[in-house]
Amino acid sequence: MKKTTIEISVIMGVYNPKNKEQLMAAVASIVNQTFQNWEMLLYDDGSESTYIPVIQEAANMDSRITLIRNPKNHGLAYGLNQCIQRAKGRYIARMDDDDISKPQRLEKMYEFLENHKEYQWVGSNSELINEHGVWGKDTVQEIPQKEDFLAYSPYIHPTVVFRKKILERLNGYKVADETRRCEDYELFMRLHEQGYRGYNLQESLLQYREDLDAYKKRKYCYRIQEMKVRYEGFKKLGILKPQTVPYVVRPLVSGLVSPKLIQYIRKRPGRNAYVPKPRTRQT
């Protein structure tokens, strides 16, 4: 029997998954993809012993899933880099442990990258979900330019599929305290700075889990870190100007806004409102 070629490596970090059903649904959404030439690297970032059986159960869902366990917590960026180093596919697909990929996500993104060599990664729009179902939508620019980084990241990280060689060329995600919880924002700005470009399919190929509690968990220290990432990224992109300073301090201001107001804004159509979700990671 001819061995199936792995084309896409799906990388997922997990740490103390408190909601087993969400983790299982996230992994199952990859298992049930119409595109079948994939592997999943499930990276356990030093979870407590209580959660290890749950993670193992998720890994046992399919023979194409490889569980990588680190006894010590190092953070998402470190874990994703470990996965990239071990990945066998030509493409790297991001996936979070509580989101849901729609069945044709990998197939459509694979076909796009195969037919559009001028783009180094592809993402998509997403539906916003919570325990009650779909409550909104994130719409991002089709072909983002450097100015599109001012408001938010113009790419929804867990929707994206990269060409692996590009991530290797830039040494993957930056592992540093200042990029914690906004490692994707820093990566995308660095990619654009180097002249690489991405594309967003204008359909929702992922259900992105976000609720009011997520906003409440965003500590102010992380907002300060994001402000620093914005400052450095904008400077390197050449968009740091007196009139763009308000965008640099935006994370601090948004920390004072009511979570319910933010959710109301994000329900409005045609709004680029992707904000990386907070993680339970603690060091």
Side-chain angles (χ1 to χ4, degrees):
M1 181 180 291
K2 184 178 178 180
K3 189 175 181 180
T4 301
T5 302
I6 296 173
E7 295 288 347
I8 299 177
S9 296
V10 182
I11 60 176
M12 177 190 291
V14 59
Y15 174 70
N16 288 352
K18 293 181 171 56
N19 192 312
K20 177 181 177 180
E21 291 183 0
Q22 290 179 5
L23 174 61
M24 295 302 172
V27 174
S29 74
I30 297 297
V31 174
N32 296 325
Q33 289 290 300
T34 55
F35 185 90
Q36 289 291 298
N37 294 5
W38 56 265
E39 66 169 349
M40 173 181 279
L41 300 176
L42 182 59
Y43 183 86
D44 177 6
D45 193 20
S47 295
E48 298 170 12
S49 58
T50 304
Y51 300 98
I52 290 178
V54 174
I55 299 171
Q56 185 65 60
E57 184 177 342
N60 291 341
M61 290 180 68
D62 195 282
S63 61
R64 291 166 290 183
I65 301 173
T66 299
L67 176 60
I68 305 170
R69 179 171 292 124
N70 196 313
K72 184 177 179 181
N73 180 269
H74 288 283
L76 181 62
Y78 178 91
L80 295 181
N81 286 343
Q82 293 296 306
C83 291
I84 293 169
Q85 291 176 13
R86 302 190 188 195
K88 298 176 183 177
R90 293 187 296 121
Y91 299 108
I92 301 291
R94 275 288 292 117
M95 183 69 189
D96 281 342
D97 63 358
D98 57 355
D99 296 333
I100 298 174
S101 288
K102 293 192 175 180
Q104 289 187 298
R105 177 197 166 198
L106 295 184
E107 178 183 351
K108 290 186 175 183
M109 292 185 164
Y110 176 81
E111 291 178 354
F112 178 86
L113 290 172
E114 287 288 289
N115 295 315
H116 296 84
K117 305 298 184 181
E118 68 272 27
Y119 294 107
Q120 304 307 312
W121 67 93
V122 62
S124 75
N125 296 331
S126 71
E127 294 174 346
L128 298 169
I129 60 172
N130 58 19
E131 66 274 17
H132 303 297
V134 177
W135 63 265
K137 182 178 180 180
D138 269 353
T139 301
V140 283
Q141 294 88 343
E142 188 171 4
I143 307 177
Q145 304 300 316
K146 61 183 181 180
E147 292 79 12
D148 294 318
F149 283 95
L150 290 171
Y152 303 97
S153 170
Y155 302 99
I156 302 173
H157 190 208
T159 72
V160 171
V161 176
F162 298 93
R163 298 188 192 276
K164 181 185 177 184
K165 63 182 180 180
I166 297 304
L167 294 178
E168 292 177 327
R169 195 171 297 169
L170 269 68
N171 296 316
Y173 295 85
K174 182 177 180 180
V175 181
D177 287 341
E178 65 269 20
T179 58
R180 188 179 302 171
R181 303 203 180 198
C182 50
E183 49 274 304
D184 59 312
Y185 199 8
E186 188 277 335
L187 174 64
F188 288 126
M189 286 194 284
R190 185 155 38 100
L191 285 163
H192 270 255
E193 177 203 348
Q194 294 295 317
Y196 302 119
R197 294 294 178 264
Y199 185 92
N200 286 313
L201 298 175
Q202 294 300 291
E203 59 180 308
S204 296
L205 294 177
L206 180 116
Q207 292 186 323
Y208 183 89
R209 192 170 300 280
E210 186 71 286
D211 55 31
L212 287 177
D213 287 338
Y215 294 111
K216 297 174 184 176
K217 293 176 184 175
R218 290 197 178 104
K219 296 181 180 179
Y220 217 69
C221 63
Y222 297 128
R223 298 183 184 278
I224 294 174
Q225 291 168 353
E226 182 184 344
M227 182 180 69
K228 294 178 180 178
V229 168
R230 283 172 174 261
Y231 177 82
E232 292 297 330
F234 293 176
K235 183 168 64 173
K236 292 176 181 178
L237 287 173
I239 57 176
L240 182 62
K241 304 173 182 178
Q243 60 267 35
T244 62
V245 170
Y247 289 102
V248 176
V249 300
R250 182 171 186 163
L252 302 183
V253 177
S254 64
L256 305 175
V257 178
S258 165
K260 289 185 178 180
L261 177 59
I262 294 176
Q263 190 179 60
Y264 169 76
I265 294 172
R266 296 184 76 181
K267 285 183 178 180
R268 295 169 59 189
R271 179 85 180 176
N272 172 16
Y274 169 63
V275 181
K277 73 184 71 173
R279 292 297 170 198
T280 56
R281 174 192 180 277
Q282 298 291 333
T283 55

